[in-house]
Amino acid sequence: MELSSPEFHAQAFNIINTAIKGAKEQGLEINTMPPHLSIIEVSSTFCDEGHMALMVKCNIPEILQDVDPHEWSWIAKSLLGESEESVGFVFWCLVGDGDNDLIFGYSYQKGGDYNAFLCNTNFQNLRTVDPYDVVPYLHDDYESELVVH
């Protein structure tokens, strides 16, 4: 059993939506949220009725506030390689001028499939975008081997 591409990106969107709405419910200022990156993992399990199912989970987000943006893709690549159950990652941040902030969401699924969107902080006016036009630092070959000297 595998997680299809549409299901993967829908789960990634839900992760971002849950994080932003949760922050709002806790009274946090959304316009001060730093960039986040979470690895998405999938494992086989059994549902309550005894059928095979997939469990989708994400780790606690890496907060990239104090990380040079040029290193964001390297961090994503290294975290993807740490777990055998990882199937991709989700990245989100705010872009804008403070008064008209937009949520930028980017999900990458192993195999090279990705999706990116911009929307307002109420998740309205959702539109698909080229992620590398919005955050060019995310451009990478995430599945090439890491060589550290």
Side-chain angles (χ1 to χ4, degrees):
M1 259 181 136
E2 287 187 19
L3 192 63
S4 73
S5 180
E7 291 168 331
F8 174 84
H9 295 298
Q11 289 295 328
F13 179 84
N14 289 337
I15 290 166
I16 297 169
N17 193 334
T18 300
I20 299 288
K21 286 186 176 182
K24 286 180 181 180
E25 289 170 3
Q26 294 298 316
L28 299 175
E29 293 291 327
I30 300 305
N31 61 351
T32 63
M33 287 184 75
H36 290 65
L37 177 112
S38 285
I39 298 300
I40 299 174
E41 297 179 343
V42 173
S43 57
S44 296
T45 188
F46 290 97
C47 69
D48 293 339
E49 298 172 1
H51 302 288
M52 285 293 293
L54 290 176
M55 178 173 49
V56 179
K57 60 184 178 179
C58 69
N59 65 355
I60 295 173
E62 295 288 323
I63 307 298
L64 303 176
Q65 178 174 340
D66 297 324
V67 177
D68 181 340
H70 292 94
E71 296 177 17
W72 290 352
S73 65
W74 184 85
I75 291 170
K77 183 185 267 188
S78 355
L79 292 172
L80 269 176
E82 288 181 5
S83 168
E84 290 182 22
E85 295 180 338
S86 68
V87 293
F89 68 86
V90 59
F91 170 91
W92 67 98
C93 67
L94 292 172
V95 294
D97 57 16
D99 292 329
N100 298 309
D101 285 331
L102 297 173
I103 297 168
F104 169 71
Y106 174 71
S107 50
Y108 176 86
Q109 185 177 23
K110 283 184 175 178
D113 188 42
Y114 64 86
N115 186 44
F117 69 87
L118 282 172
C119 65
N120 66 23
T121 56
N122 292 319
F123 289 88
Q124 297 171 335
N125 303 322
L126 185 72
R127 65 183 185 274
T128 301
V129 295
D130 181 335
Y132 312 123
D133 287 343
V134 181
V135 181
Y137 308 113
L138 292 174
H139 193 273
D140 204 329
D141 179 1
Y142 291 105
E143 295 173 63
S144 65
E145 265 188 59
L146 283 174
V147 179
V148 180
H149 297 276

